[in-house]
Amino acid sequence: MGTPLPNTKHLLSEIEVQYVKGVGPRRSEALRAIGVATAMDLLYYFPRRYLDRTRIYKIRDAEAAVLMTDEVTFVGRIKSIRLVRSGRGRNMMFIRLADESGTMRCVWFNAVQYFASAFKEGELIAFSGKVTAYQDQPCLIHPDYDHLEDEGDEAFLHTGGIIPVYSTTEALRRVGLDSRGFRRLIKGLLSNLGHYEFPQDPFPREILSVNSLMRLYDAIEKIHFPKDEKELGHSLRRFKFEELFYLQLLLAIRRNLIRHSPGPALNEPGALVERFGKEVIPFKLTEAQRKVLHEIVADLKSGHPMYRLLQGDVGSGKTIIALIAILLSVENGYQAAFMAPTEILASQHYATLSRYLSPLGIVTSLLIGGQKKKSRTEVYSDIESGRTSVVVGTHAIIQEKVKFNKLGLIVVDEQHRFGVMQRMALQEKAGVSHVEPHILVMTATPIPRTLSLTVYGDLDVSVIDEMPVGRKKIRTALRGESSRDRLYKFIREQVLSGRQAFIVYPLVNETEKSDLKAATQSFIRLRDEVFRGFKVGLIHGQMTDTEKNDIMLAFKKNAVNILVSTTVIEVGIDVPNATVMVVEHADRFGLSQLHQLRGRIGRGVHQSYCILMTEDKFLDEEKIQTSDEATANRRLRIFASTSDGFKIAEHDLMLRGPGEFFGTKQSGAPPLRLANLIKDRDVITQARHAAFKLAEADPHLRDKEHERIREVLMRNYKDSFEFLKAN
Ligand code: ADP
Ligand code: MG
């Protein structure tokens, strides 16, 4: 491709970045490495943050900023640069920054000569970071920096403007693309658009005006060079809306599609379900359980696939509801699959389900990763032939080798991390039978509304908001090392009166050997010394399935009184006789994790106790030093003060942010760059409304006016979107 001729208009998204004025081959290589391939991509390379005159500190105020936890920015000129050789052949670098109010030091503990040469004495620069006291002086350690231009930027700052700051890499800086380089490049492109055709805004006028969105061109310009905060906010809102809109549209289209495709139409509950209710369940369903059952049965009868989320706090009795739905499928000649997040939980569910189902003559099979090949092959063929009616297992169930004879229902247990993308994959895999199966996702993790709208926005929701009667409130206590002897005495008393206890050690990552060693050593000490004469068991993730199952079975039968464990028992485990949950190093656990652990007790008629063990310093706020410790302390206090799963989840989300709440990328958190699921509640609601309205009016996006929306959607969600192309 040659340089575009000036008299033909070329679409920006078709101009390779190397032909943008000021780029050239060397820079284009570095740009491509960060995913910027076209001129349009360059315009979509948004600032990482902004320098705003109103947010810039004077050096004379640095002292006061030492106490702040936020980052602050100082703008000034470099007065001196010094490289000093320190111990072990390292270089320390000191830069002294001066503004009209004073001077301050910036320190790098390990700087190479090359790095030092990035700075020049006398240059105008912005340093950002947390102010720390170093050798009794306020100082910035390893701050972020941005070179500023004497003309332009400085003038900008003085007029109260906002300067965009871009992320760069070493490779980009080598070709002059630091923040300043990007500013020049993008500014140049924007003021030189005459030769190029700017892409048409994907949003039709109505969406723009109803939601008061900036037009694409303006928004692009303003996100790079806003005049003030207000303009910046307005343009940011447009892009946040965009992100959320496409995600919601994806959900809306999916929802429509499912609602209109044929599903297994089941009949009213018949003899089997009735017998089960009368003869097999040892209790009466709660009012809340009956209500959600009613909703589920209505879906199953509708002739379209059910797609429902069943929310209910730990211990609210979701399993039995799933079981009834399974029975209904089987009664109508369909198979059912029950998926659990861990092998232990799958095994436990398998035990529960087959206990209930085999008296009714229903064949249940277990399918987990660690199984022997022979038994697995057998299970496969039983599923394919239809001999097996109910399959319980882990993700192994959706492996390619599994072929169902006539799959009617999939239950997914305890997987708040089972996001949109995973569910799409599941439905695709499950599409081996003639019609799309019903799907019921169950979770004990209450999901704040803004999140559920995004992550579960395509599902109907049922809530069990009532606990079975007779449950006693769990007592929760926070204890330090000094209470350890009393704790052990208490556990002995509980066991002597017939109850059982869990003692959990942190081992968040099952491959961390040192943690595992600590748990194992504690186990030996507890078994041989502290609880001599009692039966103490150990369970952890590195054991084989058989070992894990044996020990769980023994605990369930009270052949083990005290179970020492890592977090493998975190979700779903159901042993109603266990009344004590001790969490060691509780400060190392997340809120939702603690909530799940506490949910392992209080499941029977006896009073239960959750004891969080931690270092004494967490009991005395005065002794807390770092901000991590402060966060841990807040977690522990929130947890001890409430048993409301919903409150706990909201705090969790606040403390950790949605990314971590849902685990990492592949865990189902939607890919959002700008929008914040907690703060941008209003934008979420608007985007959802607009997207659902569009999907209603034009379900296949065939309208000429929606062509660009369709294009963007397919581009953004390429992988999960085969079906859109097919339609
Ligand atoms: P979760 O919602 O946490 O998955 P489970 O389904 O494991 O809860 O149920 C917790 C315990 O409560 C189980 O032992 C179950 O048998 C029991 N249970 C469920 N429903 C009721 C009810 N209506 N009355 C009494 N006990 C119940
Ligand atoms: Mg459960």
Side-chain angles (χ1 to χ4, degrees), residues 467-484:
M467 285 290 180
V469 286
R471 294 278 167 80
K472 294 211 173 66
K473 211 172 139 84
I474 299 170
R475 296 210 187 122
T476 303
L478 192 56
R479 294 283 179 268
E481 276 312 309
S482 45
S483 313
R484 190 163 286 283

Side-chain angles (χ1 to χ4, degrees), residues 25 32 61 91 139 218 283 323 327 329 352 361 364 404 427 634 660 687:
R32 276 167 199 280
D61 300 325
N91 286 320
C139 136
D218 296 334
F283 43 73
L323 196 57
L327 271 175
S329 301
T352 310
T364 306
F404 283 89
Q427 208 137 27
R634 271 191 57 205
E660 280 196 57

Side-chain angles (χ1 to χ4, degrees), residues 194 205 238 386 412 422 630:
R205 202 167 302 152
R238 144 99 206 197
V412 184
Q422 278 83 352

